[in-house]
Amino acid sequence: MNPGELRRRAANGGRGLTLQLAYRPPYAWERLRDFLDQRSINGLEWVGDDHYGRCFAWQGAKGHFTAHHEPQHHRFSVTLELDRLASLKAVVGNIRRVLDLDADSTAIEAHLAQTAPGLKLVEGLRLPGIWSQFEAGIKAILGQQVSVAAARRLAQILVDTLGEREDEAASEGRRRFPEPAAIAASDLAFLGMPGARRDTLRRLAEWHLAHGHDEDAQAWLTLKGIGPWTVDYARMRGASHPDIWLGGDLGVKKALGELDGADPAAASPWRSYLTFQLWNR
């Protein structure tokens, strides 16, 4: 189904759409689902055995979606609420990116098998995306020097405190990830974090207010408190760059040390996938 067909269906049926997004198998849904679930933020995201969904703001539009996996058809059936149909193509493209639906896993894994012969590959492993580089960068800063569970708790507090409610008339419910303006204007004391890290969060938010969401995260290296790992993580998950090597990550170092003859440089242009394969050992 092309975007034009989706627009016609939306016009006939109001704000709600149902669409099918296909992928080329294999697709390791359980691994992607579990990775997203371990990091999901209540109200912002929802994850179940066969689905992933979230609230979003994107290119002038706001809404939410739920993607239900239909493995027998090699696709996701997506229900989407969107308040601005002009942004439909961009929103659908970003859903495809977050779920990594356009990857050719067979070709990627054939390449990785040659460069890391001792690595038992997870068939169909995809890159679990984050909705934007900004959100990925904020989460990476929150996760500096703490566990995944602690980073998730901090992100939950941030969303609960500064995230815009999807329905402002409701006292509870779904929220979007905080906009840069909301983070830049807050002292973030409610996070209970050291002042230097709160300053880094605000610097990143202020940078986005000045430059927008589309700039390459490499420019963040000019910001105090942001180093290569944060930038690479944001590019890998917030922009789904396929060739990011997180060689400084402790989990990656440990897994790589257990292999003989693995050459990360030779894994290019698919080093992001090698990183996730090592994380999944």
Side-chain angles (χ1 to χ4, degrees), residues 52-226:
Y52 170 78
R54 66 164 290 150
C55 295
F56 63 82
W58 193 245
Q59 297 195 9
K62 296 177 181 179
H64 64 262
F65 73 88
T66 304
H68 290 268
H69 190 216
E70 298 181 346
Q72 69 276 22
H73 299 299
H74 310 311
R75 72 187 186 194
F76 284 83
S77 180
V78 179
T79 56
L80 172 64
E81 292 280 341
L82 189 64
D83 69 351
R84 183 176 181 270
L85 289 179
S87 300
L88 177 61
K89 183 177 180 180
V91 168
V92 172
N94 213 36
I95 294 172
R96 293 192 66 88
R97 181 192 64 77
V98 167
L99 298 173
D100 200 10
L101 299 184
D102 295 319
D104 184 345
S105 292
T106 300
I108 293 169
E109 288 155 19
H111 182 74
L112 295 183
Q114 296 178 348
T115 59
L119 177 61
K120 184 177 180 180
L121 296 171
V122 176
E123 190 178 56
L125 191 68
R126 305 296 172 115
L127 299 181
I130 291 176
W131 190 254
S132 70
Q133 281 191 119
F134 173 68
E135 182 178 330
I138 293 294
K139 288 180 175 178
I141 295 167
L142 292 174
Q144 289 174 357
Q145 300 178 341
V146 299
S147 67
V148 170
R152 180 186 187 184
R153 180 183 62 81
L154 289 170
Q156 184 73 63
I157 294 170
L158 183 70
V159 170
D160 289 345
T161 306
L162 296 181
E164 181 185 27
R165 289 193 183 98
E166 187 171 55
D167 181 358
E168 287 295 339
S171 59
E172 295 181 329
R174 295 172 177 171
R175 292 177 180 268
R176 287 179 282 273
F177 194 80
E179 291 293 323
I183 294 176
S186 173
D187 65 7
L188 304 177
F190 56 84
L191 290 172
M193 292 168 53
R197 287 175 64 202
R198 287 187 278 122
D199 289 343
T200 301
L201 292 169
R202 284 195 297 271
R203 283 190 203 99
L204 183 59
E206 290 165 356
W207 188 93
H208 274 79
L209 285 175
H211 296 87
H213 287 288
D214 296 330
E215 295 286 338
D216 190 338
Q218 286 281 20
W220 300 355
L221 291 172
T222 62
L223 302 177
K224 183 179 179 181
I226 294 184

